[in-house]
Amino acid sequence: MKYTPINSKLFVKNRENFKAKMLPNSLAVFNSNDIYPVSADSTLPFEQHRDIFFLSGVDQEESILVLFPDCPKEKHREILFLKETNEHIAIWEGEKLTKEKAFETSGIKTVYWLQDMEKIMFEIMTQCDTVYINTNEHYRANVDVETREDRYTKWLKDKYPAHRVAKSNPILQRLRSVKDPIEIDLIQQACNITEKGFRRILNFVKPGVWEHEIEAEFMHEFLRNRSKKFAYTPIIASGNNANVLHYVENNQQCKAGELILMDVGAEYANYSSDMTRSVPVSGKFTSRQKDVYNAVLNVKKQAESMLIPGTDWAQYHVEVGKLMTSELLGLGLLDKADVQNENPEWPAYKKYFMHGTSHHIGLDTHDYGILTDPMEPNMVFTVEPGIYIPNEGFGIRLEDDLVIQETGAPVNLMKNIPIEVEEIEDIMNA
């Protein structure tokens, strides 16, 4: 891995928190992701399942974590099953985790090789009443493939049909949504790498550059700072491309007078950052661009102040909609009749700002979090209002990542990334 080692006390604490929510005499199982084939002998880069990483720090394929806090045999209360390394693997792929290294990474003392899994599982399944399976119940999940976790769950339920089944996901949704200080530091590192990338491109952008060249500049800076990749598919959208919310082609030339909307973020140690900035190709905003930009920035600043403990996520978005409506009236994009006659299910402001303002961020860019629960300290949210005007040839979105505090304003993990009009213009014209 490119990232520096993470203190294992994070994973020890995460497991203790999870086990405290388990039913008596129950067992929970978590699997690594598959390595997915492309065709022939090629594969996609491995991405660890975030749940087993959250609970163990193990960042390796073919790994299984078992938690059984009430197990009669103390050494089986936490178990890791790992792929055993050998000379061939060491030569061709690099050595996998040893048992000693796995303990150092996770804090788990009992480590078996994967070939012993069925034998050990038979022993401990005869000692428990309930088994927790790990299903993907994220509100944005849309999964067509059968995952390694799915296959394991089928095997487990088929082999042990008399056991009660419970779900890990509701526990994880709540645990993962509230970040440990170590996690916040890792997200901060991802944000700092993103800042370096953004400052790099401010000195690179000029009329005639291509969107994919800007993407390459970001990637260069990310890699050289121990990030393995973008946290999500980057959006580098010049001109009217910015009005396509998930524009990812990044294949057009940037022209003088246009704006470029850049929705990019570095990952670090599997933790995501999520930033959006909109900058002028020529280094100066027009008067109209500046007015719209500052309207978006004003909504963003006011929305941030609402990220406090107890805030309801749905009502927060209603209030942000009111702020945006006021700004759109001021810009002449809406008039009073538009607002008076609006459909409550699709308010007038949605014509120019059609997406949500905030989502949880952490190990996933759209991270775990139960949206009907009130906001809590140490939750991390994006704030990303936007105004999109196709008939004027530009769209503007601004986005930072913020940590809710016990009291007072949230902490902006991207506070050092330029966002004010004058700051951006000064850097681009230095």
Side-chain angles (χ1 to χ4, degrees), residues 44 50 120 123 222:
L44 296 174
R50 300 311 193 231
I120 301 298
E123 177 186 336
F222 291 179

Side-chain angles (χ1 to χ4, degrees), residues 13 174-181 183-184 306-311 360 373-381 402-411:
K13 176 185 173 184
R174 289 193 166 93
L175 291 183
R176 279 183 49 183
S177 68
V178 179
K179 272 55 178 181
D180 183 90
E183 293 184 285
I184 292 172
M306 297 185 226
L307 294 183
I308 58 174
T311 294
H360 288 272
D373 287 353
M375 295 182 184
E376 296 180 40
N378 289 339
M379 286 183 171
V380 185
F381 282 95
L402 296 101
V403 187
I404 294 177
Q405 303 297 294
E406 290 277 359
T407 57
V411 170

Side-chain angles (χ1 to χ4, degrees), residues 17-36:
N17 288 341
F18 185 91
K19 289 186 291 185
K21 302 290 184 181
M22 293 173 68
L23 293 168
N25 208 37
S26 62
L27 174 155
V29 186
F30 305 89
N31 275 267
S32 287
N33 276 333
D34 283 317
I35 297 178
Y36 291 98

Side-chain angles (χ1 to χ4, degrees), residues 72 96 122 140 182 201 276 289 292 363:
K96 302 298 179 183
F122 179 78
R140 295 178 68 141
I182 293 174
I201 69 94
T276 308
Q289 290 168 349
V292 176
L363 279 168

Side-chain angles (χ1 to χ4, degrees), residues 192-201 214-230 266-267:
N192 292 347
I193 296 169
T194 301
E195 176 192 355
K196 291 178 179 180
F198 182 62
R199 289 185 180 276
R200 179 186 182 95
I201 69 94
I214 296 171
E215 181 179 347
E217 292 296 308
F218 273 111
M219 191 69 256
H220 178 95
E221 200 65 29
F222 291 179
L223 283 171
R224 69 193 297 263
N225 284 282
R226 291 182 177 268
S227 168
K228 67 181 176 183
K229 64 181 183 67
F230 290 96
E267 72 79 47

